[in-house]
Amino acid sequence: MTHRLRRFDLIVFDWDGTLFDSTALIVRCIQDACRDLQIDVPSDSQAAYVIGLGLQDALQIAAPGLARERYPELGLRYRHHYLARQHELSLFAGALELLQALKARHHWLAVATGKTRRGLDDVLNTSQLKGMFDGSRTADETASKPDPLMLLELMREFGTDPEATLMIGDTTHDLQLAANAGTPSVAVSYGAHEREAFEEFTPLTVAHSTAELKDWLLAHA
């Protein structure tokens, strides 16, 4: 891209808790999976903390007392509960309009998520989102956050420099990912992690709603 009136050519979004209103369900599914295996059930805040990580990394943190060989079993129970209720989920109000406004300004849009490729494709192939994103990376096809590989691969794919790339997410894992990749970041406070946790990563802004995020991006991105 040669059009330099905007600051960022590539805008990369986390998915769960940033664009997709799934935080509460993910927390419940982690807790239900632990109950199924009759192990200690993490609190809401403990379960929310791991959102954004790859499933295996997330479960190891959420259920630290579980024998390593049983993590696949825990993962299966998590998927069972999530798939049974994922039809209840939707984009945050205003998220689609936000994405459409950025597309109209010819930013490249991408997703960097802890979801699996199959899980992400299931939602991106819906009629309202088809063709919205120019690229994506998932935790099962590259390194899980906060390893910078997701962002590094996306920047290489689109030929963008770190300073022309923006990472947006609702967790410290997303902001650490951006820091590790050398890109600026923006945090949203309506997802999994509390605003206070973002301070050490000095995001450009912390948005408290999709409307606030849209206004900031249209003014500054």
Side-chain angles (χ1 to χ4, degrees), residues 2-211:
T2 57
H3 182 34
R4 299 309 304 171
L5 292 179
R6 60 181 173 273
R7 177 176 177 183
F8 300 109
D9 292 332
L10 173 62
I11 301 178
V12 183
F13 290 89
D14 168 61
W15 188 254
D16 290 303
T18 301
L19 293 175
F20 207 53
D21 190 4
S22 50
T23 299
L25 178 58
I26 292 173
V27 166
R28 289 197 300 272
C29 291
I30 290 172
Q31 293 169 332
D32 287 345
C34 290
R35 289 189 187 97
D36 290 348
L37 269 61
Q38 299 183 318
I39 59 176
D40 290 342
V41 176
S43 66
D44 288 358
S45 60
Q46 289 169 330
Y49 173 77
V50 305
I51 293 175
L53 300 175
L55 182 59
Q56 202 68 17
D57 292 339
L59 295 178
Q60 288 177 19
I61 295 172
L66 187 65
R68 190 174 192 85
E69 60 270 17
R70 297 194 70 193
Y71 281 115
E73 183 183 356
L74 184 61
L76 287 174
R77 294 312 300 165
Y78 168 82
R79 291 189 183 95
H80 165 80
H81 291 292
Y82 187 86
L83 291 174
R85 300 190 63 181
Q86 66 175 346
H87 64 279
E88 303 172 12
L89 301 176
S90 64
L91 291 168
F92 283 107
L96 185 60
E97 293 78 6
L98 160 65
L99 294 170
Q100 290 170 335
L102 294 175
K103 287 291 280 188
R105 285 165 44 128
H106 305 293
H107 296 280
W108 280 312
L109 303 182
V111 174
T113 177
K115 298 178 79 64
T116 63
R117 170 53 58 190
R118 179 180 176 183
L120 181 63
D121 284 350
D122 282 347
V123 288
L124 293 189
N125 286 330
T126 59
S127 57
Q128 64 177 350
L129 288 171
K130 208 166 188 65
M132 185 67 71
F133 293 97
D134 303 293
S136 60
R137 288 297 186 279
T138 61
D140 60 337
E141 64 189 9
T142 186
S144 180
K145 301 171 186 176
D147 188 291
L149 191 56
M150 285 187 184
L151 272 183
L152 295 177
E153 288 180 353
L154 286 166
M155 287 189 285
R156 186 161 58 245
E157 179 177 339
F158 292 99
T160 57
D161 296 325
E163 60 269 20
T165 302
L166 179 66
M167 178 70 206
I168 302 174
D170 69 311
T171 72
T172 55
H173 314 305
D174 299 312
L175 302 193
Q176 185 66 67
L177 165 68
N180 290 345
T183 74
S185 64
V186 162
V188 301
S189 66
Y190 50 79
H193 289 189
E194 299 295 330
R195 175 178 185 167
E196 293 72 24
F198 301 140
E199 292 177 0
E200 67 175 288
F201 298 99
T202 60
L204 298 178
T205 191
V206 179
H208 303 297
S209 67
T210 52

